[in-house]
Amino acid sequence: MQAINRYLLIIPVLFMFSWPAIAQDSPAVAADTERSPIRSLSDREYLDLKYGREMGMADVAAVNRFPAPDQVKQLAVELKLSASQKAELEKILAAREFKTREMGGFILAQETRLNGLFESGKATDGSVIYYTNKIGLYLGELRNAHLQAYLKTRKILTAEQIRRYYQIKAATK
């Protein structure tokens, strides 16, 4: 039982630090000038969380042929999106941005508290369990927000648009 509890604590931490760094939808200047105020997070990890970047969290959708909402938006003309599809896509992207920034903010707050506990030498078994579990919950919500955007994007596209999307992607590789 202790081994299982240990792994449950380690998984969220390993997951968070193994994300690929993918820049998207944030000011380019911030990536070059803003530094992480949280010693336990790299500048990239901090900015990814702060700006709601995908960080590979939607890879399961992408590899299983669910179109990326940002790419669909970029290919709106080529995919011949209707006005209603464009409007729906904007709602999907806005909802994802709101939720990912909200969850990123929650994660950063918990990381700040956890870092403070270790910095002050006041970390205990209980506090580490509490904050890592809380961070894990928020990471799940963050990933869910990205995956929901992929699901909803696929639902608004026709079969022909999805086929065309993957033709375009294959041609640009």
Side-chain angles (χ1 to χ4, degrees):
M1 189 66 167
Q2 284 181 336
I4 291 171
N5 287 339
R6 190 175 316 127
Y7 288 116
L8 289 175
L9 290 175
I10 293 170
I11 289 170
V13 175
L14 290 176
F15 179 70
M16 190 168 109
F17 293 109
S18 66
W19 296 327
I22 299 171
Q24 96 185 25
D25 292 348
S26 66
V29 174
D32 294 333
T33 61
E34 200 169 349
R35 299 292 176 229
S36 174
I38 305 168
R39 288 179 35 173
S40 58
L41 295 179
S42 71
D43 296 341
R44 172 66 69 189
E45 290 163 338
Y46 171 77
L47 293 171
D48 285 349
L49 290 167
K50 182 177 179 181
Y51 291 109
R53 295 177 184 156
E54 192 175 292
M55 304 170 285
M57 290 191 159
D59 286 353
V60 68
V63 301
N64 286 291
R65 301 186 61 83
F66 283 74
D70 297 303
Q71 292 174 355
V72 168
K73 181 179 179 181
Q74 291 172 352
L75 298 171
V77 172
E78 294 90 333
L79 297 175
K80 299 178 183 170
L81 295 184
S82 68
S84 64
Q85 285 175 311
K86 289 177 188 175
E88 193 60 32
L89 185 59
E90 288 301 325
K91 288 180 190 174
I92 291 166
L93 291 167
R96 181 194 64 187
E97 181 175 354
F98 175 81
K99 189 68 171 180
T100 59
R101 287 182 181 228
E102 178 184 45
M103 290 302 110
F106 290 160
I107 293 166
L108 292 174
Q110 300 311 309
E111 284 290 341
T112 299
R113 289 181 184 111
L114 186 60
N115 189 68
L117 287 171
F118 275 94
E119 230 172 33
S120 69
K122 294 180 181 176
T124 64
D125 290 343
S127 64
V128 170
I129 290 169
Y130 177 79
Y131 286 107
T132 55
N133 284 337
K134 209 166 180 184
I135 290 166
L137 174 68
Y138 293 139
L139 283 169
E141 286 296 318
L142 180 63
R143 187 171 191 199
N144 179 54
H146 287 293
L147 291 172
Q148 289 296 325
Y150 276 70
L151 280 173
K152 291 174 182 174
T153 298
R154 187 176 191 193
K155 287 179 184 176
I156 67 167
L157 299 175
T158 66
E160 176 58 28
Q161 288 170 322
I162 293 170
R163 187 189 64 72
R164 181 75 181 122
Y165 171 85
Y166 284 103
Q167 280 180 334
I168 294 167
K169 279 191 69 161
T172 59
K173 283 187 178 180

